Amino acid sequence: MSVQAESWHGVPQAPPDSIFKLTAAYKEDTFPQKINLGVGAYRDDEDKPWVLPVVKKVTEILLNDPGLDHEYLPITGLPSFTSAAAKLILGADSPAITGDRVASVQTISGTGANHLGALFLSRFYGFGEGGRKVWLSNPTWVNHFAIFNNVSIEPITYPYYDPDTIGLAFQPFLNTLRTAAPRCVFLLHACAHNPTGVDPTREQWGQIADVILEKGHYAFFDCAYQGFASGDLEGDAWAVREFVKRGALHVVAPTKEAAQRIKSQLSVLQRSEISNPPAHGARLVSLILNDQTLFDEWKRDIRTMAGRIIEMRKELFRLLSEELKTPGNWEHIVNQIGMFRWGSFSQSETLQVWTG
């Protein structure tokens, strides 16, 4: 009896990614005044990617380092990178840092960090009566849904954006936190919410933390734009640090021993996923974060980008409201923050306005 080999006829054609499909269409378009409002990537006045001057400098340092090798990194990444990254987001004087209660792992991109965190939750988090679910803001970065679905955690949404005010639906958000079953997982955007650009105020963050503590929820922070939102690394990390101070950010373990156990399990999970993370980017960032002169240059470059985005928002608001007398209220353009605006067109757009 013969057995037919697998022919994969049953595999359906997957649809293309909507954002990258738009980028491909943009590149093919021959219209000379085209503007890309798709992927959230910084561009200069010539619509070109801007390689930070400090990154160019450190790249040369690495290229000319005679002691550099290409050996595998540890499974959990380059220690000088992960420790510096933890200090960047939590603060060098954070009790979680000084008490060795932080388990840090180098991943492949922000998507990889979200995935590894989600995978860890799927294996070890004690979900409450609400079941294996994660609450995502409505709207949120579209990849969040696939990341959690792929580890068998069901994504559901909480109210976040209010189309009437073009701002935060704060009370509905807070009510969802209060009425959700205890020990639910809530994914929160630390700053420059993607895709709305709408962030809670510090007072509102305090109320959010109060309810999360009261209900025993788990705060899963996705922080993609620290420093890039306002130009202030410390200010953009405020929400995360406030949760750590209150004890509601449970990825920061309550004890040093718990942190060691968590990191050991993250290492096991990462081993089966990518084994070892790439070295070049980690070495580059490690040099910047651990050298005060280079770090200061990096902060200056961040302020350049963030400041330009803020000024573009102001200029777009001026053009629409004062020069063009466009009907409607356009204040949300200057009230929102970061690279995205969400408003009257009912969709996310990357803020791309060239005024030079």
Side-chain angles (χ1 to χ4, degrees):
M1 182 180 69
S2 62
V3 178
Q4 186 176 358
E6 177 59 62
S7 60
W8 307 112
H9 288 313
V11 178
Q13 178 68 42
D17 182 271
S18 58
I19 295 295
F20 288 97
K21 180 182 179 181
L22 183 63
T23 300
Y26 169 80
K27 291 180 178 179
E28 294 174 1
D29 196 322
T30 58
F31 183 63
Q33 292 176 294
K34 63 183 180 180
I35 297 177
N36 185 357
L37 298 179
V39 66
Y42 184 84
R43 297 290 184 266
D44 62 17
D45 283 330
E46 304 300 322
D47 191 21
K48 304 294 184 185
W50 188 50
V51 180
L52 275 59
V54 70
V55 172
K56 290 183 177 180
K57 178 185 291 187
V58 174
T59 298
E60 286 298 317
I61 293 174
L62 287 176
L63 287 174
N64 293 288
D65 183 354
L68 192 68
D69 59 47
H70 295 282
E71 290 294 309
Y72 288 123
L73 291 183
I75 294 172
T76 54
L78 187 68
S80 60
F81 164 72
T82 54
S83 62
K87 292 175 183 176
L88 187 70
I89 185 66
L90 300 177
D93 59 349
S94 168
I97 297 283
T98 57
D100 290 328
R101 295 188 288 113
V102 182
S104 301
V105 177
Q106 178 189 337
T107 62
I108 298 180
S109 78
T111 299
N114 274 271
H115 167 69
L116 189 60
L119 184 61
F120 180 80
L121 288 180
S122 74
R123 299 287 182 86
F124 298 104
Y125 185 65
F127 289 91
E129 62 188 57
R132 292 172 59 87
K133 296 180 174 66
V134 59
W135 289 86
L136 307 177
S137 64
N138 182 22
T140 191
W141 179 50
V142 67
N143 220 13
H144 283 146
F145 290 92
I147 287 169
F148 283 93
N149 272 322
N150 285 344
V151 296
S152 300
I153 297 177
E154 179 188 355
I156 53 179
T157 60
Y158 59 84
Y160 189 84
Y161 175 75
D162 183 350
D164 293 331
T165 63
I166 318 181
L168 180 65
F170 180 61
Q171 284 304 323
F173 175 19
L174 211 59
N175 290 340
T176 302
L177 286 169
R178 290 194 179 106
T179 57
R183 293 185 58 81
C184 283
V185 176
F186 279 82
L187 189 146
L188 308 172
H189 297 233
C191 64
H193 181 273
N194 180 356
T196 69
V198 174
D199 288 350
T201 64
R202 291 190 177 184
E203 181 182 354
Q204 289 170 332
W205 273 123
Q207 294 181 59
I208 292 167
D210 287 341
V211 179
I212 285 180
L213 274 172
E214 177 188 329
K215 297 286 295 199
H217 295 322
Y218 183 96
F220 187 116
F221 272 102
D222 184 354
C223 183
Y225 299 108
Q226 184 188 358
F228 199 54
S230 68
D232 179 5
L233 287 167
E234 308 299 313
D236 289 349
W238 188 88
V240 175
R241 295 179 184 182
E242 177 69 7
F243 273 65
V244 172
K245 183 172 68 176
R246 291 166 173 254
L249 186 68
H250 301 298
V251 73
V252 176
T255 65
K256 177 180 179 180
E257 291 73 23
Q260 291 171 344
R261 294 196 303 273
I262 290 169
K263 189 168 184 178
S264 72
Q265 293 295 343
L266 289 170
S267 176
V268 170
L269 295 175
Q270 176 124 302
R271 174 64 167 156
S272 66
E273 297 264 324
I274 64 170
S275 192
N276 307 81
H280 177 74
R283 286 169 172 161
L284 190 151
V285 176
S286 177
L287 278 175
I288 292 173
L289 297 183
N290 290 294
D291 181 287
Q292 190 60 51
T293 299
L294 294 173
F295 185 54
D296 289 340
E297 291 183 37
W298 182 61
K299 289 192 290 185
R300 183 176 65 240
D301 291 344
I302 288 175
R303 287 193 295 269
T304 295
M305 292 188 291
R308 179 170 170 272
I309 291 173
I310 291 169
E311 290 305 312
M312 286 195 299
R313 285 183 174 274
K314 293 178 181 178
E315 177 63 7
L316 178 58
F317 174 73
R318 186 193 69 79
L319 288 170
L320 290 171
S321 60
E322 298 177 16
E323 186 167 321
L324 299 176
K325 307 294 184 184
T326 308
N329 186 341
W330 298 95
E331 290 182 355
H332 65 280
I333 290 175
V334 289
N335 290 335
Q336 294 172 3
I337 192 170
M339 299 189 68
F340 301 95
R341 51 89 44 205
W342 190 279
S344 59
F345 300 121
S346 299
Q347 62 181 8
S348 171
E349 297 173 345
T350 303
L351 189 67
Q352 299 272 8
V353 179
W354 291 272
T355 58

